[in-house]
């Protein structure tokens, strides 16, 4: 090493005469306002080295996020994705409105892949979308790398993007590191018809799963979990049909198992297993699984518990394997009694044995509910898929629940919960929009609002206690004896904060709301005419763009 070089880490890097380490030529790239400096690289040199852009190809690109869902859906259908979108429309039907407000759906499938051992995840989509998804995934605790295959207009429309994805997959497919590689098309590649189905099914023993998760085809992130879980179950089922597969990490269960479908609090599968033990059954894997080999165990079950009832694609694979799907869950006293009956029937457990299990479990659940009562009127909404189960538990705890809104669709596996709630006078709304959740808040005037972030915000603006469903409610045990008293502490604490909200409202009385919020020497004047003029201008521009498209 010469006197003008330094070494950092395992690799040496060239250094400037002044000793500054230089990793690349980024600092030498000329800018438009640069003067001519000694040693600078002329712009013409960069222009000569730059790849030639196929201008004709870029003219056909109109499928960015700015195009809107309708246009992207049309483009995807024209590009050969019509069958995929039709299947999504059947599996995840929309409600009376277009689509509930939720985070990017692809976060759901991304989360599933990042939680699995020996699984690589690769995204194909706009850079801004990939940034947002990776940020959110790491915010929620992911400690895994997210792969990204970038593109531009030319590589997108000429097919080069698919070749880049294929090359990336071949580079990643190392069986020493991975069992599976999941490649996900986001909105723009899906609309452009990037054909992930043409990727090899296996490379060097590493499985390749390609899925499309467009925001214009998958309504919620909860259902996107099912897109990937269903694709993996289908692959695993095909493997099992063709020969022996790997045994579970802990070996096969000596008892018939019940597979649990839907993400849940870590203690819940253990609690469910304790309830199944008197029936001679055991809790099987939770789908989505944490490892590929668990998929085989999930399929090798006596029955499937649809804890979250919207996993339509996954249930299709279980039914193809000849498994019975059981709706609802062992939540509260009534839910547990009905669920044990249904599970017992599905697994051919003698009625006397089921009755004995109920005689032991139900008094304990009833006692736990009685020890931790909840008193107050509550509205509840969310987008996780467990909203109806939580409402049942709240009601059996004594709460006056008037409204339940879920962003997920109605399926036949949620009917037992819906029927029970409606018999109690609860208004249940599937595919609930933010506007419907807020209207329920205004109509029922709850003592506590449990919901999504904007619902919580609106409630607190009105000095009404509120809890965020995802972090504070769904992240708790819900089932059996452990679930019976789990909500009381946080819900009762929130209900007890009403006086604090009233005190804060009194303190800030007079500072204004909306455009007058704050302390002013001169009160701001609302100018709705400005908003109307701007609205008319935007409508005029939209009409002009539509006319240009028709030419």
């Amino acid at each position: 090493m010469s006197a003008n070089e330094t070494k950092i880490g395992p690799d040496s890097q060239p250094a400037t005469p002044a000793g500054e380490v230089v990793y690349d030529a980024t600092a030498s790239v000329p800018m438009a306002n640069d003067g001519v400096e000694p040693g600078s690289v002329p712009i013409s040199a960069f222009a000569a080295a730059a790849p030639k852009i196929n201008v004709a190809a870029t003219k056909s690109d109109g499928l960015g996020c700015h195009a809107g869902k309708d246009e992207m859906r049309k483009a995807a259908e024209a590009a050969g994705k019509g069958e995929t979108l039709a299947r999504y429309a059947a599996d995840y039907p929309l409600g009376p409105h277009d689509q509930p407000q939720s985070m990017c759906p692809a976060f759901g499938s991304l989360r599933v892949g990042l939680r699995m051992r020996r699984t690589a995840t690769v995204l194909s989509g706009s850079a801004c979308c990939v940034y947002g998804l990776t940020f959110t995934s790491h915010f929620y605790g992911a400690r895994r790398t997210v792969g990204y295959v970038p593109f531009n207009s030319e590589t997108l429309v000429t097919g080069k993007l698919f070749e880049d994805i294929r090359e990336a997959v071949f580079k990643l497919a190392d069986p020493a590191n991975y069992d599976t590689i999941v490649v996900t098309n986001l909105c723009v590649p899906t609309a452009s018809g990037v054909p992930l189905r043409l990727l090899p099914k296996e490379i060097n023993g590493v499985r390749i799963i390609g899925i499309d998760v467009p925001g214009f085809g998958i309504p919620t992130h909860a259902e996107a979990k099912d897109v990937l879980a269903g694709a993996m179950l289908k692959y695993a089922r095909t493997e099992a049909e063709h020969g022996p597969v790997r045994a579970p990490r802990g070996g096969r269960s000596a008892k018939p198992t019940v597979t649990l479908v839907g993400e849940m609090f870590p203690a819940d599968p253990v609690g469910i297993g304790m309830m199944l033990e008197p029936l001679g059954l055991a809790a099987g894997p939770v789908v989505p699984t944490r490892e590929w080999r668990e998929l085989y165990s999930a399929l090798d079950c006596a029955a499937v518990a649809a804890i979250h009832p919207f996993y339509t694609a996954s249930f299709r694979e279980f039914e193809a394997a000849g498994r019975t799907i059981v709706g609802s869950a062992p939540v509260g006293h009534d839910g547990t009694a009905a669920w044990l009956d249904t599970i017992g029937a599905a697994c051919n457990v003698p009625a006397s044995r089921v009755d004995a299990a109920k005689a032991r479990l139900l008094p304990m659940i009833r006692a736990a509910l009685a020890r931790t009562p909840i008193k107050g009127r509550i509205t509840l909404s969310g987008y996780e898929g467990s909203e109806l189960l939580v409402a049942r538990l709240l009601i059996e705890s004594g709460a006056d629940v008037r409204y339940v809104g879920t962003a997920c669709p109605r399926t036949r596996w949620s009917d037992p919960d819906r029927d029970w709630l409606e018999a109690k006078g609860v208004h249940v709304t599937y595919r609930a929009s933010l506007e419907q959740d807020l209207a329920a808040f205004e109509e029922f005037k709850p003592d506590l609002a449990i919901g999504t972030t904007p619902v919580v915000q609106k409630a607190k603006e009105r000095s009404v206690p509120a809890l965020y469903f995802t972090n504070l409610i769904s992240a708790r045990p819900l089932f059996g004896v452990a679930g019976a008293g789990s909500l009381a502490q946080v819900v009762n604490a929130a209900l007890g904060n009403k006086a604090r909200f009233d005190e804060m409202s009194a303190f800030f009385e007079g500072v204004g709301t909306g455009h007058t919020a704050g302390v002013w020497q001169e009160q701001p004047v609302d100018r709705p005419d400005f908003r109307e003029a701007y609205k008319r201008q935007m409508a005029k521009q939209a009409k002009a763009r539509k006319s240009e498209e028709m030419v």
Side-chain angles (χ1 to χ4, degrees):
M1 183 183 299
S2 70
N4 290 331
E5 292 181 341
T6 186
K7 184 177 178 67
I8 297 179
D11 301 316
S12 61
Q13 300 288 350
T16 64
E20 178 185 0
V21 177
V22 178
Y23 293 94
D24 54 41
T26 302
S28 301
V29 175
M31 308 299 289
N33 59 352
D34 281 349
V36 178
E37 299 179 4
S40 63
V41 182
I43 294 178
S44 59
F46 283 88
K52 299 298 182 182
I53 300 297
N54 184 344
V55 179
T58 64
K59 292 182 183 297
S60 64
D61 172 39
L63 307 178
C65 300
H66 58 275
K69 289 188 292 186
D70 292 340
E71 291 302 317
M72 296 185 81
R73 188 177 293 112
K74 291 177 184 176
E77 291 172 350
K81 297 288 186 178
E83 182 179 347
T84 299
L85 293 180
R87 186 178 71 251
Y88 289 165
D91 287 350
Y92 317 114
L94 296 175
H97 54 82
D98 182 28
Q99 188 172 20
Q101 296 92 328
S102 176
M103 66 178 71
C104 171
F107 173 65
S109 56
L110 175 63
R111 175 183 171 90
V112 169
L114 290 176
R115 287 160 65 96
M116 291 186 68
R117 294 188 184 96
R118 295 178 50 82
T119 299
T121 299
V122 178
L123 296 178
S124 172
S126 298
C128 55
C129 300
V130 173
Y131 168 78
L133 287 167
T134 53
F135 174 87
T136 306
S137 66
H138 292 302
F139 178 82
Y140 277 95
R143 296 181 181 179
R144 303 275 291 281
T145 298
V146 178
Y148 172 46
V149 180
F151 64 86
N152 57 34
S153 295
E154 181 178 9
T155 62
L156 180 68
V157 301
T158 59
K160 180 65 167 57
L161 172 58
F162 174 76
E163 297 302 323
D164 291 343
I165 293 173
R166 190 174 186 275
E167 180 182 358
V169 168
F170 268 90
K171 288 181 178 179
L172 269 178
D174 181 357
N177 297 322
Y178 301 115
D179 293 331
T180 312
I181 298 173
V182 178
V183 185
T184 303
N185 269 345
L186 303 180
C187 289
V188 174
T190 300
S192 298
V194 175
L196 297 182
R197 66 185 182 280
L198 299 183
L199 290 172
K201 300 301 180 186
E202 183 181 298
I203 302 173
N204 299 327
V206 178
R207 304 165 187 83
I208 311 300
I209 306 286
I211 57 173
D212 297 294
V213 188
F216 56 84
I218 308 296
T220 66
H221 83 284
E223 290 156 294
K225 297 175 187 177
D226 178 49
V227 173
L228 180 52
M232 287 184 164
L233 283 167
K234 183 175 183 178
Y235 197 120
R237 182 172 63 82
T238 303
E239 287 181 314
E241 289 172 349
H242 283 81
V245 294
R246 295 183 70 187
R249 186 176 292 269
R252 292 188 64 186
S253 171
K255 299 177 180 179
T257 60
V258 176
T259 295
L260 311 176
V261 177
E263 289 186 329
M264 61 191 78
F265 189 74
D268 273 333
V270 178
I272 291 175
M274 294 173 65
M275 287 185 277
L276 291 172
E277 193 275 335
L279 305 183
L281 304 173
V286 176
V287 175
T289 63
R290 296 299 186 93
E291 189 175 15
W292 185 270
R293 65 170 74 181
E294 291 180 3
L295 293 165
Y296 308 131
S297 303
L299 290 162
D300 183 26
C301 64
V304 177
I307 305 296
H308 286 187
F310 55 83
Y311 278 76
T312 306
S314 298
F315 297 147
R316 181 166 54 243
E317 296 307 317
F318 283 116
E319 289 181 329
R323 306 298 180 246
T324 301
I325 316 295
V326 175
S328 191
V331 60
H333 177 279
D334 294 359
T336 300
W339 188 79
L340 289 173
D341 284 336
T342 312
I343 286 291
C347 298
N348 298 315
V349 178
S352 59
R353 195 165 186 176
V354 175
D355 291 339
K358 288 161 59 177
R360 184 167 70 88
L361 292 169
L362 297 183
M364 291 190 290
I365 294 173
R366 190 186 296 277
L369 292 169
R371 284 195 303 267
T372 53
I374 297 173
K375 302 298 180 184
R377 180 177 298 177
I378 297 175
T379 57
L380 187 151
S381 56
Y383 46 58
E384 300 295 339
S386 58
E387 291 78 21
L388 275 66
L389 299 176
V390 171
R392 292 190 64 156
L393 190 54
L394 289 171
I395 290 172
E396 289 207 38
S397 298
D400 176 18
V401 179
R402 297 295 184 91
Y403 169 85
V404 179
T406 176
C408 296
R410 175 179 172 179
T411 69
R412 68 180 186 269
W413 298 289
S414 69
D415 284 346
D417 300 315
R418 178 185 56 80
D419 293 341
W420 190 91
L421 289 169
E422 290 182 344
K424 301 288 184 181
V426 181
H427 182 87
V428 178
T429 300
Y430 294 97
R431 287 285 187 236
S433 66
L434 173 60
E435 291 76 14
Q436 289 171 312
D437 294 341
L438 295 178
F441 173 81
E442 298 290 350
E443 178 180 352
F444 296 116
K445 297 178 173 52
D447 302 310
L448 173 69
I450 299 174
T452 56
T453 302
V455 173
V456 170
Q457 177 185 359
K458 177 62 69 174
K460 291 183 176 180
E461 285 178 357
R462 300 292 184 84
S463 298
V464 175
L467 295 171
Y468 179 39
F469 183 88
T470 298
N471 288 2
L472 296 175
I473 300 298
S474 69
R476 293 177 180 274
L478 297 177
F479 308 124
V481 179
S486 66
L487 299 181
Q489 182 178 4
V490 65
V491 169
N492 285 331
L495 286 167
N497 282 335
K498 175 60 177 172
R500 295 176 61 191
F501 278 95
D502 291 339
E503 185 178 348
M504 285 190 290
S505 295
F507 179 82
F508 288 105
E509 184 68 30
V511 299
T513 58
H515 72 282
T516 64
V519 179
W520 306 89
Q521 290 182 333
E522 295 183 8
Q523 186 90 342
V525 178
D526 191 16
R527 296 300 300 267
D529 51 322
F530 284 2
R531 289 196 295 271
E532 288 300 320
Y534 183 69
K535 189 183 297 185
R536 288 194 297 270
Q537 181 182 356
M538 295 295 291
K540 184 177 180 181
Q541 291 176 354
K543 186 177 181 180
R545 286 195 299 269
K546 195 68 175 178
S547 299
E548 291 173 0
E549 293 173 3
M550 298 174 63
V551 175

